[in-house]
Amino acid sequence: MMADSRSSQPWTIAGAESRVRELERALQAHQDWIDGFQSRLVTRSRPRPSDLKAAGHLHCPFGRWYAGKGKKNFRGVSAFTELGAQHREMHRLARALAGTIRDNADIAVAQYEAFARCLADFRQSAHALLDDARELLRYADPLTGIANRFGMLPRLEEEMERVRRTDVVSTVSIMDLDRFKRINDSLGHASGDKVLRAVSRYLVKNVRRYDRVARYGGEEFLLLLPDTTPAGAKRVLDRLRRGLSRRTIAVNRDTKVTIGASFGVAALNPAHTVMMAIDRADQAMYEAKQAGRNRVQVWGP
């Protein structure tokens, strides 16, 4: 999972699919460059000017993608940063090999082996990054495009381990759309689906960049708020709640609806399990419903 990207927005399924395709194209272009470069080494052909440039890693197709769309789409992912460092080093070694051919000198075995090792490391990192992006697609909710509960649970377990290791305070929240059944019953399930997609887009756009959101089931959503106390989470979620209740959602040409939501909040307690925290947040959410709906309730014994 792309759990390491705490400085970037959560990915949607459409975003993940686009990133996978872009990365696949960039890697294929890089393989084409490798094939050509190795062919020039074997035949001792004259190196291309770009092979001899000090910043050659910026001029190959993969390097241009990395510095442009890649940096934008994978910002904050440590595997992507590592991939860039390996790519830069590989081009440095390739430049030395190209210089040896240009000078009509013999390539030392150790010199080529260093390049080959760097190339193997690059490929391993590239495929790991690609596998992570593809893995995300397995755990995305097909209706809304955001993570489903099975995609969120590993991230919650990682956060719980961090809470136990560092004594930080992090919270989870269960959010349930108020009177959602009325929309399905009066306007049809297709309209309900449009509401769910619109709410998902709103949450992804408006959570903090290090928060995570998933569709938990039906009209319920699960949110993770790292490094946030329950009181702090209440403030964050109240802002989301107010913003959502002010939005109008067009479900067909003639009909717009508004929707409220009730939130329950609970801390990730290092002495308990993730599921216990989710259950407590769920209990708090039902307390919010009983207290009048469209509000945030923090769990308390």
Side-chain angles (χ1 to χ4, degrees):
M1 300 296 292
M2 309 305 292
D4 200 38
S5 53
R6 289 186 50 171
S7 63
S8 59
Q9 286 289 337
W11 288 10
T12 63
I13 189 170
E17 288 174 340
S18 175
R19 287 160 171 80
V20 166
R21 288 193 298 269
E22 287 179 3
L23 181 54
E24 286 174 337
R25 286 194 294 268
L27 291 175
Q28 182 56 56
H30 186 265
Q31 184 59 49
D32 292 343
W33 176 85
I34 285 294
D35 290 344
F37 181 75
Q38 290 184 318
S39 176
R40 291 190 291 278
L41 286 183
V42 170
T43 59
R44 297 187 66 85
S45 301
R46 185 175 182 178
R48 291 179 177 177
S50 59
D51 294 341
L52 297 166
K53 287 186 176 180
H57 65 287
L58 298 177
H59 298 284
C60 73
F62 180 87
R64 290 193 295 270
W65 170 83
Y66 186 94
K69 285 187 176 180
K71 185 169 289 187
K72 177 182 177 181
N73 291 333
F74 288 88
R75 182 181 59 230
V77 180
S78 62
F80 178 76
T81 303
E82 182 179 356
L83 189 66
Q86 291 168 339
H87 180 249
R88 185 168 55 251
E89 175 63 10
M90 185 182 58
H91 270 273
R92 185 189 70 80
L93 295 169
R95 184 171 71 253
L97 289 169
T100 301
I101 296 297
R102 178 200 57 197
D103 297 339
N104 200 29
D106 292 333
I107 296 175
V109 172
Q111 184 183 18
Y112 182 79
E113 286 181 344
F115 170 76
R117 283 195 301 271
C118 189
L119 175 58
D121 290 343
F122 172 86
R123 285 173 171 162
Q124 183 176 354
S125 296
H127 287 295
L129 183 63
L130 190 56
D131 287 345
D132 277 353
R134 287 170 175 160
E135 186 77 359
L136 183 66
L137 297 177
R138 292 179 53 201
Y139 294 111
D141 174 54
L143 175 64
T144 62
I146 63 175
N148 59 27
R149 69 164 72 189
F150 301 108
M152 176 68 99
L153 288 176
R155 179 69 184 93
L156 288 169
E157 293 290 352
E158 290 175 3
E159 186 62 21
M160 179 66 91
E161 286 302 314
R162 195 173 74 89
V163 167
R164 290 173 178 144
R165 189 174 64 252
T166 64
D167 292 328
V168 299
V169 179
S170 296
T171 55
V172 294
S173 174
I174 291 288
M175 164 189 156
D176 187 85
L177 299 181
D178 294 332
R179 298 187 172 94
F180 179 76
K181 187 174 184 297
R182 291 185 181 180
I183 295 175
N184 275 339
D185 291 345
S186 61
L187 299 174
H189 287 277
S191 295
D193 289 349
K194 289 182 179 179
V195 170
L196 290 171
R197 285 193 288 266
V199 169
S200 298
R201 289 193 297 270
Y202 169 80
L203 292 173
V204 168
K205 184 177 179 180
N206 289 279
V207 294
R208 299 170 303 177
R209 67 179 183 273
Y210 45 82
D211 294 336
R212 291 292 176 263
V213 57
R215 186 181 177 199
Y216 199 58
E219 63 269 28
E220 284 190 337
F221 294 82
L222 174 62
L223 295 96
L224 168 63
L225 297 92
D227 300 311
T228 308
T229 64
K234 186 178 187 304
R235 291 191 293 270
V236 171
L237 297 173
D238 263 325
R239 174 182 59 80
L240 285 175
R241 178 190 59 78
R242 290 192 297 268
L244 179 62
S245 64
R246 289 194 293 263
R247 294 179 67 84
T248 58
I249 300 170
V251 295
N252 56 48
R253 183 178 300 177
D254 304 315
T255 307
K256 294 182 178 180
V257 300
T258 58
I259 192 80
S262 299
F263 295 78
V265 178
L268 287 174
N269 187 326
H272 299 142
T273 65
V274 165
M275 290 310 301
M276 187 174 292
I278 293 174
D279 287 344
R280 288 175 171 178
D282 197 48
Q283 293 171 30
M285 182 272 292
Y286 279 107
E287 290 178 13
K289 295 276 190 186
Q290 294 166 2
R293 297 184 174 85
N294 195 28
R295 62 189 64 211
V296 180
Q297 179 67 42
V298 176
W299 181 85

